[in-house]
Amino acid sequence: MKKYNFSAGPSILPRVTMEKTAEAIMDFNGIGLSIMEISHRSKDFQVVIDEAVALFKELLDIPEGYSILFLGGGASLQFCMVPYNLLEKKAAYLNTGTWANKALKEAKLFGEAVEVASSKEANYSYIPKDYVVPADADYFHITTNNTIFGTELHTDIDSPVPLVADMSSDIFSRPLDVSKYALIYGGAQKNLAPAGVTFVIVKEDVLGKVSRPIPSMLDYRIHIKNGSMFNTPPVVPIFAALQTLRWLKELGGVKAIEKINIDKAARLYDEIDRNRLFKGPAAEEDRSFMNVCFVMEDEYKELEPEFLDFAVKRGMSGIKGHRSVGGFRASIYNAMPVEGVQALIDCMQDFEKQK
Ligand SMILES: *Cc1c(COP(=O)(O)O)cnc(C)c1O
């Protein structure tokens, strides 16, 4: 049976990413050694990281003055690295869910962290729009895609202070105006690579402004100076990320994938809205194109375990919703083919016919 991986993360990757990485694990570039056992400072690996950086710049149209880093520690380490490097007195945070909360919590260790708005009272089913960012904040932090609650900011917002974004789960899903951001970061395991590498896109001139001493491993400037090789970077995940980036370029880049993503999401949301058994908890204009959350209508609530079982038996893997929303969550990242989305829709329709 064909299986479709709808997991939220680690998640589906292009087949070619797996194939090329498997090949390189056995014999990298035909040198007779595995990518797992060569020096990160070897010429062969330098070529890999250089091309990955170049493709970040090309695919996201990153302007001059930004550096791209490949680090360890996950997005969660960035929750602390961002304030460590940028927060002198005060920072502003938009609270749009679990990850935004975790970021805010870390910032409080470094200074005043203001929550400018929150949608907590509605279980994070929408993204607050009316708020004021304090003009004296050192930066404003947002989470562009809320992986758990299925909401997403579909545009690059304006901010009166340097804008910092956690884009763990929607990077490379659409074109970005990078010039509007001071810093963008994310764990790679949602849309790019296996877990283990974290990307950071940082505008160099926002650094060096805080008075606290910064430990070397947490100092962006040290990593920039060393080309992400201050210590050993996650070699294999970086290699895998490069394969995904090549795949994306081949496909036509972020403009092309955005079109596909909008189409996939529209099909699934249309079915959720049409099907009498299901409904989507996220506000319509904020619906995520990456993580599609849906639950059963109240009168059918008790059917949830039955539908889950039905779908799993038909090859739908990883659609159980996060415990904080319940129901179902279909993560339809870049690598999810439209056939996968259609297979899930067929499942929902066949289940409805039985009821
Ligand atoms: C998954 C996720 C994280 C956590 O990433 P780690 O790499 O596991 O630390 C943070 N933010 C968002 C939006 C996520 O989806």
Side-chain angles (χ1 to χ4, degrees):
M1 181 184 55
K2 179 125 185 74
K3 270 209 171 184
Y4 290 104
N5 182 6
F6 290 98
S7 289
S11 43
I12 187 168
L13 287 170
R15 191 81 206 159
V16 68
T17 297
M18 257 90 75
E19 284 165 0
K20 295 284 182 193
T21 306
E23 266 172 39
I25 284 173
M26 298 320 291
D27 183 0
F28 175 47
N29 276 357
I31 61 174
L33 296 171
S34 168
I35 180 118
M36 292 169 77
E37 57 182 0
I38 59 155
S39 167
H40 56 293
R41 300 194 191 281
S42 64
K43 232 171 84 202
D44 288 283
F45 184 68
Q46 189 64 52
V47 170
V48 168
I49 199 162
D50 288 347
E51 189 184 339
V53 167
L55 280 175
F56 256 76
K57 289 187 176 163
E58 182 185 335
L59 290 165
L60 295 175
D61 199 13
I62 300 175
E64 287 293 304
Y66 286 79
S67 286
I68 290 108
L69 299 173
F70 297 113
L71 308 175
S76 300
L77 184 59
Q78 296 307 309
F79 296 164
C80 121
M81 242 171 117
V82 164
Y84 225 130
N85 285 265
L86 302 182
L87 200 167
E88 180 68 12
K89 276 210 177 75
K90 186 197 274 191
Y93 279 71
L94 185 61
N95 184 1
T96 52
T98 310
W99 298 115
N101 256 297
K102 289 191 172 176
L104 175 63
K105 176 165 177 264
E106 298 299 287
K108 286 180 176 159
L109 298 171
F110 297 90
E112 190 187 348
V114 186
E115 182 184 277
V116 298
S118 165
S119 48
K120 187 170 185 212
E121 88 291 345
N123 201 30
Y124 299 111
S125 57
Y126 70 98
I127 294 181
K129 311 282 183 311
D130 295 321
Y131 52 80
V132 178
V133 178
D136 60 344
D138 297 314
Y139 64 88
F140 176 41
H141 181 283
I142 58 172
T143 311
T144 50
N145 184 65
N146 298 284
T147 322
I148 291 175
F149 296 94
T151 61
E152 185 176 10
L153 257 171
H154 296 290
T155 53
D156 303 304
I157 61 169
D158 293 305
S159 165
V161 299
L163 184 62
V164 174
D166 175 358
M167 292 199 189
S168 293
S169 52
D170 62 348
I171 191 77
F172 291 112
S173 68
R174 65 170 176 93
L176 285 179
D177 181 354
V178 174
S179 71
K180 288 195 167 179
Y181 301 86
L183 193 149
I184 299 169
Y185 66 86
Q189 69 274 17
K190 312 282 164 60
N191 222 358
L192 195 59
V197 63
T198 310
F199 65 85
V200 178
I201 302 167
V202 56
K203 195 171 183 195
E204 290 129 29
D205 69 12
V206 299
L207 301 175
K209 294 185 177 163
V210 291
S211 51
R212 74 176 62 82
I214 307 174
S216 306
M217 271 298 283
L218 300 180
D219 189 336
Y220 292 122
R221 290 168 305 172
I222 301 257
H223 290 291
I224 292 171
K225 205 167 129 230
N226 290 278
S228 298
M229 295 215 202
F230 173 67
N231 71 324
T232 317
V235 169
V236 175
I238 292 170
F239 180 88
L242 172 60
Q243 310 315 309
T244 304
L245 295 171
R246 283 180 176 171
W247 167 83
L248 182 56
K249 184 180 171 176
E250 181 84 3
L251 209 130
V254 282
K255 259 210 172 101
I257 203 79
E258 180 187 41
K259 246 182 102 191
I260 298 170
N261 286 333
I262 289 174
D263 171 63
K264 286 188 302 189
R267 286 169 191 245
L268 195 45
Y269 285 117
D270 281 352
E271 176 57 21
I272 292 165
D273 293 341
R274 188 211 58 78
N275 195 307
R276 74 190 149 85
L277 304 181
F278 301 100
K279 64 179 178 184
E284 212 168 314
E285 78 269 18
D286 298 329
R287 285 172 161 181
S288 170
F289 298 162
M290 297 281 103
N291 311 97
V292 178
C293 292
F294 55 105
V295 296
M296 261 158 167
E297 291 281 4
D298 297 342
E299 64 264 45
Y300 298 109
K301 208 81 195 160
E302 76 284 358
L303 291 179
E304 282 189 352
E306 196 184 328
F307 175 71
L308 184 64
D309 191 50
F310 181 84
V312 168
K313 283 199 175 109
R314 291 184 32 164
M316 309 300 125
S317 176
I319 64 158
K320 192 171 176 10
H322 190 275
R323 63 188 178 279
S324 40
V325 181
F328 312 97
R329 172 176 50 171
S331 297
I332 53 172
Y333 297 116
N334 286 355
M336 174 59 69
V338 68
E339 295 79 37
V341 173
Q342 195 53 52
L344 177 57
I345 292 170
D346 292 345
C347 229
M348 293 161 79
Q349 294 182 346
D350 290 346
F351 190 73
E352 182 189 27
K353 278 176 206 145
Q354 290 183 5
K355 296 298 153 190

